[in-house]
Amino acid sequence: MTLAQLPLQSPPLMLVCLVLLCCIPELQTGAQQSGKATSQVASQQLQPGQSLEKEIKPREIHSYNLESLAGSFVQINISQRGSNVGVTLFGVNGKVIFSLNTTNDADGTEVLPVLADVSGVYRIVVRSRDSGFAGGHYQLTVSQSRTATAQDRSYVSAELLIQQARRLLGKRTEQSKRNAISKYRETLPFLRLSGKREREAAVLNNIALFHESLGSHAEALAFHHQALALRKDAGDSRGSALSLNHIGSLHIALGEIQKGLDYYDQALTLLRVNGGRRGEANTLANVGSVYFDLGESERALEFYHRALKLYRAIGGRPREVRLLTNIGAVHFSRGENEKALEFYERALALQQELRSRGGLNYTQRLIGVLHARLGNRQKAFDYLNRALAFERQTANRYTEAQTLTDIGEIYYGSNEKEKAFDYFNQALPLRRATGDQQGEALTLYWIARLERDRGRMPAALAGIMSAINLVEGVRARISSNDLRVSYFATVQKYYDFYIDLLAELHRQVPSDGYDALALQASERARARGLIELLQEARTDIRRGVDPKLFQREQSLQRQLKERTEEQVQLLSGTHTPAQAKALIEELAALSREYAETQSRIRQTSPRYAALMQPKTLSLKEIQQTLDNETVLLEFRLGETRSFLWAVTPANIDLYELPSRAVVERVARSVTESVNARNQRPQDESLEQRRERLEHAEKEFRESTTELSRMLFSQVATRFQSKRLLIVSDGALQYVPFAALPAPRTVSSAETSEFLPLVADHEIISLPSASVISVLRKERTARPATRKAVAVLADPVFDLDDIRVNQRAGKPVAAKTAETNLPRLPFSRREAEAILAAAPPGEGMAALNFRASLATVKSPALAEYRILHFATHGLLDTERPELSAIVLSLVDEQGRPQDGFMRLREIYNLNLPAELVMLSACQTGLGKEIRGEGLIGLTRGFMYAGASRVGTSLWKVDDAATAELMSYFYQAVLKDGKPPAAALRSAQLKMFQQRRWQSPYYWAAFVLHGDWK
């Protein structure tokens, strides 16, 4: 199912556009159809030059008489204030001349021209439309009467043509739309002669909309841009925002997501300056839909709820219908079926209350898809077929293709493959005709699956390759790294199928190199965002970019710094959880805006385009990065089966593993059991804790044995005692591979001795094999550093720290829980042991107050090969940009200072180190994004220049970590071992000591990056 949203299109200010969009019956017919009584107010005489304001209640009709002489012209403006009215002009003979009816508006101005062909009384009727608005006000202003000019006559001629076009439109079939477009185009010369540029823009807007609904996106864009130019020239900011919205929506539909977001942003800027709340709500809803399509469900809900609040404030209930449906779709995507159905049903109930057809088919389509998930097949078809009938009746090819694909998916799931194939093949030409590249990719994916089921492997391969090429094109046009990563996560199933298909072809024809192609596809599907970031870090992308963007970037940096300092002040004193939460949310919002500004810098950078399609390595290129003592083990977890590639400089082997669900079940059991020591259940006694840990130890042995056998039983003979480069996937990213039983101990019947994998192998973690090439290019391009190691340890977190009191000459106060970050006394021992191992004059210790952000940002730190941080780490898996290394939060005078080295700060550092070791809790974790891996501190330090990063997978024991690091640096600085070999040596020593034998104490640390 595709959940791409059609835009919530904001109506323009001038009524002529609204007329074209609604096409509802005339006044009396509308009243009859509503089935509700109307209230008629006595007629009132209007005078030229008169202005009056009236309150109008729901379903109320106001009537006015205007006496005019033949050949005279009067213009009547009706400005709405929280009401939604239709206006009809009757001639002297009682026949309708114009019927101007809005659809969803509670504000804006309607313009009614009165050109008297004969002398007499003309009647103007204002009717409150029964569309869910509460009563409101309108202001009616009558211009002075004058003799009609040639411009006036051209204006009225255009309006009459618009009325004809409206009648031609009929039921909005394809032909009626084309007929209406032709008639609308006839109005343009008359509007130009009349000088009514706003009206001309409105007609151009509607011509564009009908072209768009017919799938003619190039024509639609051209007309929208014409309308935008007219509105800008006329100073019509709200109309300009409307055009910007439509243009943005078209670019989104064409897969140009970044362009679409940029147009929405321009629209929001105009609307906020000029108070266009309705347009702002529409644009917010559109932005929410983009984030939804990119897989950012939380951000989508944030924008949807902001829009909903605005709609309710202005009385825009009809607009709520699609928004409620969209919110339901977000919950559906998260598997929250009951909540999704609740919002869908609220949308349907509101449509019935308003007697509104608009958006009904969209809601019905999504309810149908939901019933399909719930197994209610007949209900699903009932809803989807009703939606399909309406889409065909109104010639909406874009949504018709979506519904056809949805129906095809249901037939596929029911194993009715021929019917599924028919529906997908009906959808495909519609996808192509409308330029919907994301929809086309989805339909091609399903067709490829059917072709494979039929045994037509070449056709399946061609289809899925076409789908992947389409989504790659969409991805390349997104300049924001964060959004590219989010979008890429939503299309990972295409790569899963492609890899699975290549693996099947390899099984059938082992000699044709499909295993190598499958490996390259796996590389193409992972860590692309990181590779692009690493390449960007070595390029001056700011050269040639608008200086205003730099100013905005610097302004946001200042604001982030100020808010961070506020957070430090807040956390250092008495505060409520609500205050802390509010400040964190504000920081998150500023961080997002900062990222969006950097995205615009990238988008306009002349140098950035070359970085948008980084090259992933082929098998031969991967093999050239290896040596004879190294084996690459790359995992890809799939829906029905998973895969493992074992690659050496001379060979490649592809192995089949169980499904993602099976592998991840065991992997999670491993991580849960090893993390048991970090848990502190309330009221747990010492005896209960002992029993729980004994059970966890037993569970750990059993689950690690099962996982080791599952992953390595087929491949163990290939890697013997060689170095292992592990590219993991999914829940395997949280597994301490060093602590898994060595394959020889789980496969041998002769011994029950437990030996960890690290007993036989050095182990290095990689986000992808292709990352190695980028890291090595960077390392060879920079000058060698002269000094060995810089250590930042034992920071000061609290005003009540004894070091603050000693410095200030005050008596020692009792410890308070202001920051909830206890001092780490063993980190000082850790630092002393590291410096003792360093060559004389090549070590630097920044302890106490010097373990600060200022020290990290100083140029001196770039002189060291190794940077070691021994402190606390803060993890935010939902908002990784707020994860941090915590340095001194207090200066020497006892004043609070910013000591949170967040991911954003790390990206701005210059640390060309051989190794950054993060001796802090959970520094190797982050937000898991499919296809990208864990987004967190590791990638930040790689971006800053580190060739390797050492991190932890869980909360580490302070004393055990100090001892582990002492062994590690003895091996690195005194024995001259490479970091991977040194970490193996240190972990084995810890394992062999009885008091540290539990993997909890020694297996948390993982080395990422290059091994050479």
Side-chain angles (χ1 to χ4, degrees):
M1 165 187 172
T2 178
L3 292 172
Q5 311 298 314
L6 285 177
L8 283 168
Q9 294 157 343
S10 167
L13 295 178
M14 303 306 290
L15 182 58
V16 64
C17 182
L18 303 171
V19 176
L20 301 177
L21 287 173
C22 64
C23 305
I24 67 167
E26 301 295 350
L27 178 67
Q28 295 89 342
T29 307
Q32 292 165 2
Q33 285 186 343
S34 72
K36 296 182 180 179
T38 58
S39 174
Q40 182 81 40
V41 176
S43 294
Q44 181 175 343
Q45 189 71 28
L46 289 178
Q47 300 296 330
Q50 182 180 6
S51 180
L52 54 87
E53 184 165 336
K54 287 283 189 178
E55 180 182 2
I56 189 165
K57 297 175 182 178
R59 298 182 301 281
E60 193 169 70
I61 295 175
H62 295 182
S63 181
Y64 300 92
N65 295 328
L66 178 68
E67 190 168 353
S68 292
L69 297 174
S72 65
F73 177 83
V74 172
Q75 180 169 295
I76 300 175
N77 290 356
I78 301 96
S79 299
Q80 300 171 116
R81 302 287 185 271
S83 60
N84 180 31
V85 300
V87 185
T88 304
L89 173 66
F90 293 87
V92 172
N93 58 5
K95 292 184 178 179
V96 173
I97 300 175
F98 294 120
S99 182
L100 311 179
N101 296 288
T102 66
T103 52
N104 297 311
D105 304 312
D107 58 6
T109 300
E110 304 172 350
V111 180
L112 184 70
V114 182
L115 176 59
D117 54 345
V118 295
S119 298
V121 176
Y122 292 79
R123 189 160 63 98
I124 297 96
V125 172
V126 179
R127 174 178 175 269
S128 174
R129 299 191 67 248
D130 180 23
S131 55
F133 290 101
H137 293 76
Y138 65 89
Q139 184 176 19
L140 191 148
T141 305
V142 186
S143 72
Q144 292 292 343
S145 179
R146 66 168 187 264
T147 302
T149 65
Q151 285 184 316
D152 296 332
R153 295 185 184 282
S154 294
Y155 175 28
V156 174
S157 296
E159 293 287 355
L160 290 170
L161 286 168
I162 289 168
Q163 295 288 302
Q164 294 175 36
R166 185 178 151 217
R167 286 191 290 271
L168 285 171
L169 187 59
K171 294 184 178 180
R172 297 195 179 201
T173 63
E174 180 175 346
Q175 189 55 51
S176 70
K177 287 180 182 180
R178 296 191 185 281
N179 293 340
I181 287 172
S182 297
K183 187 61 68 175
Y184 293 150
R185 295 186 72 158
E186 288 181 35
T187 71
L188 294 174
F190 291 100
L191 288 170
R192 286 165 191 156
L193 286 170
S194 72
K196 300 290 184 181
R197 306 188 75 184
E198 296 94 338
R199 295 292 181 107
E200 182 184 350
V203 171
L204 289 167
N205 177 83
N206 282 277
I207 293 173
L209 289 176
F210 287 121
H211 274 301
E212 184 179 343
S213 72
L214 292 169
S216 304
H217 284 178
E219 290 88 344
L221 273 174
F223 280 104
H224 277 313
H225 277 290
Q226 289 180 52
L228 177 61
L230 286 172
R231 284 166 166 163
K232 283 183 174 180
D233 287 345
D236 179 7
S237 58
R238 294 194 188 183
S240 296
L242 171 69
S243 292
L244 289 166
N245 245 304
H246 287 319
I247 293 168
S249 297
L250 270 170
H251 282 296
I252 297 296
L254 292 168
E256 296 169 339
I257 294 171
Q258 192 66 54
K259 270 190 178 180
L261 284 171
D262 289 342
Y263 278 106
Y264 288 156
D265 188 58
Q266 292 177 53
L268 281 173
T269 301
L270 279 176
L271 291 161
R272 284 166 180 161
V273 168
N274 294 282
R277 293 196 300 168
R278 182 188 66 243
E280 182 181 351
N282 293 341
T283 311
L284 288 170
N286 285 343
V287 174
S289 293
V290 174
Y291 283 123
F292 178 36
D293 286 343
L294 292 172
E296 296 274 357
S297 63
E298 282 302 321
R299 291 187 74 179
L301 286 175
E302 175 194 334
F303 278 90
Y304 284 155
H305 283 294
R306 283 167 62 188
L308 191 60
K309 185 177 180 181
L310 276 174
Y311 284 142
R312 287 174 175 167
I314 62 176
R317 295 186 71 210
R319 296 279 173 174
E320 291 184 34
V321 171
R322 181 175 285 273
L323 198 51
L324 290 169
T325 305
N326 286 353
I327 293 172
V330 175
H331 290 295
F332 174 88
S333 73
R334 298 161 75 163
E336 299 163 359
N337 297 334
E338 289 185 7
K339 208 161 188 178
L341 190 57
E342 173 195 334
F343 277 96
Y344 291 160
E345 288 177 343
R346 282 170 61 185
L348 279 182
L350 186 55
Q351 284 166 329
Q352 290 167 359
E353 179 185 341
L354 304 181
R355 298 182 176 273
S356 165
R357 180 63 184 173
L360 179 61
N361 64 301
Y362 172 61
T363 309
Q364 287 178 332
R365 181 172 71 82
L366 294 188
I367 292 177
V369 173
L370 175 57
H371 278 299
R373 174 186 282 182
L374 297 173
N376 304 326
R377 189 170 179 268
Q378 192 53 54
K379 274 190 175 181
F381 281 135
D382 289 344
Y383 279 103
L384 288 169
N385 284 323
R386 283 200 293 271
L388 184 62
F390 181 78
E391 287 154 356
R392 285 175 167 168
Q393 176 188 348
T394 57
N396 194 325
R397 296 178 178 182
Y398 187 91
T399 55
E400 181 185 353
Q402 292 176 333
T403 306
L404 287 166
T405 303
D406 292 336
I407 294 172
E409 287 186 42
I410 297 172
Y411 279 123
Y412 185 92
S414 302
N415 207 32
E416 297 180 66
K417 303 292 179 67
E418 289 305 316
K419 286 184 177 178
F421 197 75
D422 175 54
Y423 276 92
F424 293 142
N425 277 304
Q426 288 181 59
L428 188 59
L430 295 176
R431 299 283 202 192
R432 288 171 173 162
T434 58
D436 179 9
Q437 294 187 359
Q438 296 181 79
E440 182 182 349
L442 178 65
T443 305
L444 283 168
Y445 161 76
W446 284 108
I447 291 173
R449 289 186 61 163
L450 282 163
E451 294 287 22
R452 183 193 63 179
D453 295 344
R454 292 173 161 190
R456 297 176 56 182
M457 304 299 275
L461 196 59
I464 195 60
M465 287 173 68
S466 295
I468 287 175
N469 287 336
L470 284 168
V471 299
E472 291 272 5
V474 172
R475 183 185 183 279
R477 293 191 291 272
I478 305 173
S479 60
S480 163
N481 185 271
D482 290 344
L483 293 183
R484 278 203 309 277
V485 166
S486 297
Y487 171 72
F488 207 47
T490 68
V491 297
Q492 284 295 304
K493 66 180 180 182
Y494 302 155
Y495 292 90
D496 286 337
F497 177 77
Y498 183 38
I499 292 165
D500 194 276
L501 189 61
L502 290 168
E504 181 61 25
L505 287 165
H506 171 68
R507 188 187 64 78
Q508 295 177 10
V509 192
S511 60
D512 278 11
Y514 288 112
D515 50 354
L517 289 175
L519 175 63
Q520 191 166 357
S522 175
E523 283 291 298
R524 191 176 173 185
R526 67 171 75 235
R528 296 274 294 282
L530 174 59
I531 295 171
E532 289 162 350
L533 277 176
L534 292 175
Q535 289 186 329
E536 174 192 318
R538 316 329 173 211
T539 304
D540 181 11
I541 65 168
R542 284 166 170 74
R543 187 175 298 176
V545 176
D546 184 354
K548 290 180 181 178
L549 285 174
F550 298 142
Q551 293 169 9
R552 182 59 183 154
E553 182 185 32
Q554 290 166 1
S555 171
L556 287 165
Q557 282 179 334
R558 285 193 298 271
Q559 291 180 62
L560 282 163
K561 185 175 185 299
E562 289 165 3
R563 295 299 178 274
T564 301
E565 289 171 354
E566 285 180 29
Q567 185 185 40
V568 173
Q569 296 278 358
L570 182 72
L571 295 177
S572 298
T574 304
H575 64 276
T576 65
Q579 289 174 316
K581 182 183 177 185
L583 198 50
I584 287 173
E585 288 175 351
E586 187 177 0
L587 271 168
L590 281 171
S591 294
R592 285 198 297 270
E593 189 176 353
Y594 179 69
E596 288 165 4
T597 302
Q598 291 186 315
S599 168
R600 289 198 208 57
I601 290 172
R602 293 186 185 101
Q603 188 179 2
T604 56
S605 168
R607 297 186 171 204
Y608 188 69
L611 308 177
M612 293 300 292
Q613 291 287 358
K615 187 175 181 293
T616 52
L617 301 185
S618 65
L619 171 62
K620 184 177 179 181
E621 290 167 327
I622 291 172
Q623 289 175 323
Q624 287 171 351
T625 68
L626 307 176
D627 56 40
N628 290 328
E629 300 306 314
T630 306
V631 178
L632 169 70
L633 299 178
E634 182 157 330
F635 295 91
R636 180 76 181 184
L637 304 184
E639 181 183 356
T640 57
R641 55 180 176 170
S642 302
F643 301 100
L644 165 62
W645 292 266
V647 184
T648 67
N651 296 296
I652 178 173
D653 292 289
L654 175 59
Y655 302 95
E656 185 177 323
L657 302 176
S659 69
R660 169 183 289 272
V662 172
V663 174
E664 291 197 327
R665 175 186 57 79
V666 183
R668 289 195 180 97
S669 179
V670 171
T671 55
E672 287 168 6
S673 59
V674 79
N675 271 296
R677 287 180 182 272
N678 287 322
Q679 298 169 7
R680 293 288 188 274
Q682 192 173 7
D683 299 327
E684 183 182 52
S685 68
L686 288 175
E687 180 61 24
Q688 289 171 329
R689 177 172 172 77
R690 185 188 64 77
E691 290 177 358
R692 181 172 61 80
L693 293 183
E694 283 181 358
H695 175 76
E697 185 69 22
K698 180 174 180 292
E699 178 67 25
F700 177 79
R701 291 297 178 91
E702 291 174 354
S703 57
T704 52
T705 299
E706 182 180 1
L707 188 61
S708 179
R709 184 179 291 115
M710 184 183 293
L711 300 181
F712 300 133
S713 61
Q714 303 173 79
V715 73
T717 57
R718 292 288 186 186
F719 56 68
Q720 298 175 353
S721 61
K722 294 182 179 180
R723 179 185 303 110
L724 304 181
L725 307 183
I726 296 179
V727 179
S728 55
D729 191 21
L732 291 178
Q733 295 170 103
Y734 302 92
V735 168
F737 276 87
L740 295 185
R744 62 188 172 93
T745 65
V746 298
S747 60
S748 172
E750 299 176 3
T751 178
S752 59
E753 178 190 8
F754 172 81
L755 282 177
L757 193 62
V758 75
D760 295 333
H761 307 279
E762 296 173 23
I763 300 171
I764 299 98
S765 175
L766 289 171
S768 80
S770 300
V771 166
I772 286 294
S773 175
V774 183
L775 292 175
R776 286 185 180 170
K777 283 180 183 176
E778 161 61 14
R779 192 174 64 191
T780 56
R782 68 192 182 207
T785 49
R786 298 186 304 277
K787 299 179 182 178
V789 61
V791 183
L792 286 87
D794 197 14
V796 182
F797 303 125
D798 201 291
L799 285 170
D800 288 333
D801 189 297
I802 188 173
R803 290 167 289 181
V804 177
N805 292 300
Q806 287 174 340
R807 177 74 62 171
K810 297 176 182 177
V812 177
K815 179 79 177 76
T816 66
E818 290 170 352
T819 60
N820 295 318
L821 291 173
R823 183 179 179 182
L824 298 171
F826 282 97
S827 69
R828 181 175 289 272
R829 289 194 202 172
E830 193 174 318
E832 291 167 351
I834 294 169
L835 292 171
E842 292 192 24
M844 185 269 279
L847 307 176
N848 305 322
F849 302 101
R850 286 189 63 214
S852 65
L853 262 181
T855 300
V856 174
K857 293 178 179 180
S858 67
L861 218 62
E863 299 176 7
Y864 292 89
R865 297 194 303 276
I866 300 173
L867 305 179
H868 185 93
F869 295 88
T871 180
H872 285 292
L874 297 181
L875 173 69
D876 192 325
T877 55
E878 288 304 313
R879 293 169 291 197
E881 69 276 8
L882 298 183
S883 294
I885 299 295
V886 188
L887 300 170
S888 287
L889 301 174
V890 179
D891 69 9
E892 295 182 1
Q893 283 72 45
R895 295 173 301 199
Q897 66 179 9
D898 180 14
F900 295 102
M901 185 169 63
R902 290 190 171 86
L903 189 55
R904 166 179 50 82
E905 297 279 357
I906 297 167
Y907 277 122
N908 290 324
L909 296 174
N910 176 32
L911 300 175
E914 294 294 310
L915 169 67
V916 171
M917 180 61 77
L918 304 179
S919 181
C921 298
Q922 298 176 300
T923 50
L925 304 183
K927 183 177 182 179
E928 183 184 348
I929 298 183
R930 187 85 207 285
E932 193 61 33
L934 297 179
I935 307 294
L937 298 173
T938 302
R939 69 170 40 212
F941 281 104
M942 284 186 172
Y943 183 86
S947 297
R948 304 171 192 84
V949 184
T951 61
S952 61
L953 291 173
W954 53 79
K955 291 181 180 179
V956 290
D957 179 88
D958 192 16
T961 299
E963 188 163 342
L964 177 71
M965 290 303 156
S966 174
Y967 293 142
F968 173 75
Y969 282 102
Q970 283 283 332
V972 170
L973 298 174
K974 282 194 177 275
D975 302 338
K977 290 185 178 181
L983 183 60
R984 176 193 175 201
S985 172
Q987 288 178 325
L988 275 177
K989 284 184 179 179
M990 295 286 288
F991 169 72
Q992 289 160 359
Q993 294 181 42
R994 192 163 192 83
R995 67 194 181 103
W996 298 129
Q997 194 169 26
S998 168
Y1000 166 77
Y1001 294 105
W1002 59 265
F1005 284 91
V1006 178
L1007 198 66
H1008 308 264
D1010 202 354
W1011 67 94
K1012 287 189 176 180

